[in-house]
Amino acid sequence: MVPTLLVLNAGSSSLKFQVFEQHEGKEPRRVFRGLFDGLGTAPNFMVRDGSGTRLDEGRWESGERFGHEQALLHLATWLSEHRGGYRLAAVGHRVVHGGPVFRKPVLVDDAVLRTLEQFIPLAPLHQGHNLEPIRVVSRRFPQLPQIACFDTSFHQTQPEIARLIALPREIRDKGVQRYGFHGLSYAYLASVFPNYGAPLASGKVVVAHLGNGASLCAMANGASVATTMGFSALDGLPMGTRSGSIDAGVIFYMLSEMRLDVAEVEQVLYSRSGLLGVSGVSNDMRKLRALAPTDPDARLAIDLFVYRINREIGSLVAALGGLDALVFTAGIGENDPATRREVLHAARWAGFKIDEEANMRGTGLITQEGSPQAWVIPTDEELIMARDMQRMLAGEQLAEATG
Ligand code: AMP
């Protein structure tokens, strides 16, 4: 029976999953990917095979009682019906915050789960949801090993000064520091850089993860040196619905002058700002691109996004002490040639000369000879998790065999 890895990414009302086969000494092979959304209201289920062909879907009309637990049970039944001869070897969970504790993926037991619960206040909108399927799996399938992979771990190589926030010690001692996120995406890219030659593998590189969430990471020799997200995933670039870096004075103003309460301010900053807030119409780059020629606010939202990316590139290049290459990834970075063109134009101070044909093709090197390199490289956060899981399971078996 082929051992199989289940990789989960849980949000407040969604559960994304991918299933990989493990083959000794080989890269994990993706066999299914899919998601549940609308959990707790009107859930949908959709699953594709490894090459993206739609295999099945489902819908539950009044799904108030259909949450993460029901989704996992449905998935377990679906897998047993559609995958004769598989044996689930482990479940991996994307967990946004590993706090100051977890530098790499960890096998979850009760003590680890309790520690991860302590980080809920550090990522209130994500951490609790990420932990929910861990509880469900330990209740329903207690024999299954569970592995947590963190968005923060990759940044643990940063120098202390890059992580420090200039606050009094009694506040910093509570764990208030810059952590950085999107670490699974950056770790995947760092792992493939050696396939793309020297500047990426051993040079000074800025990676632009531009999706609905967006951040930049400065890497030297494939290790994180600095990043735009900080204590929370609100910092840095403006995003689909998040403001990005903001003068703390604006928050006092909203609280004391506008009389918003804390929950309302949180909602403004996380859900009503960024591309959506500035355009007034959408957080979706495809829509904004379609509207931009006739809608000045859509154009302004894109312009601000590009302007802020360029400024943050400058900041990261200063932290790196130079720049050999820029890498675009995630939904916008991989699919929107116009954003790449505008960013490289704004960053022409660094000497970028775009190869427009390559940019329109949208993969690989997109700059001309003699320019600092710019690349488009698709990210794969689930594959890096599956690899980590495979490595950890092999280590475990080894320990058992020799123990
Ligand atoms: P992600 O969070 O990585 O899935 O990225 C989502 C973002 O990518 C959204 O803003 C989408 O509009 C954007 N995106 C996806 N495909 C395209 C495309 N073909 N052109 C422009 N933006 C895209």
Side-chain angles (χ1 to χ4, degrees), residues 79-236:
L79 282 174
S80 60
E81 284 168 359
H82 290 79
R83 195 136 186 83
Y86 92 105
R87 175 179 69 80
L88 205 52
V91 184
H93 301 268
R94 181 179 183 168
V95 177
V96 67
H97 222 301
V101 179
F102 296 110
R103 295 177 156 259
K104 47 186 190 192
V106 64
L107 196 64
V108 181
D109 59 17
D110 286 349
V112 168
L113 184 57
R114 276 198 300 279
T115 308
L116 294 177
E117 282 167 349
Q118 287 170 14
F119 304 147
I120 291 175
L122 297 181
L125 299 192
H126 295 104
Q127 187 84 347
H129 302 302
N130 298 160
L131 301 184
E132 179 56 20
I134 299 184
R135 292 192 203 96
V136 172
V137 172
S138 24
R139 220 170 26 241
R140 296 289 191 154
F141 310 97
Q143 74 293 351
L144 265 181
Q146 300 197 71
I147 293 166
C149 304
F150 302 102
D151 269 303
T152 47
S153 299
F154 184 72
H155 301 295
Q156 298 268 356
T157 51
Q158 287 183 8
E160 201 188 335
I161 199 131
R163 304 165 65 79
L164 197 59
I165 300 180
L167 286 168
R169 180 172 289 283
E170 70 270 19
I171 298 176
R172 285 184 280 129
D173 282 350
K174 297 273 183 214
V176 177
Q177 60 169 71
R178 298 178 64 85
Y179 290 96
F181 299 88
H182 289 140
L184 295 167
S185 173
Y186 295 131
Y188 170 78
L189 290 166
S191 80
V192 297
F193 280 175
N195 308 339
Y196 294 85
L200 291 190
S202 53
K204 295 171 176 166
V205 178
V206 171
V207 179
H209 177 111
L210 307 178
N212 205 23
S215 71
L216 305 180
C217 180
M219 292 187 205
N221 296 314
S224 175
V225 170
T227 188
T228 56
M229 280 181 172
F231 173 70
S232 74
L234 257 188
D235 204 7

Side-chain angles (χ1 to χ4, degrees), residues 209-213 275 283-286 289 330-332 335-336:
H209 177 111
L210 307 178
N212 205 23
L275 295 174
N283 61 332
D284 187 321
M285 185 55 90
R286 276 167 296 204
R289 285 282 169 203
I332 300 171
N335 299 302
D336 190 18

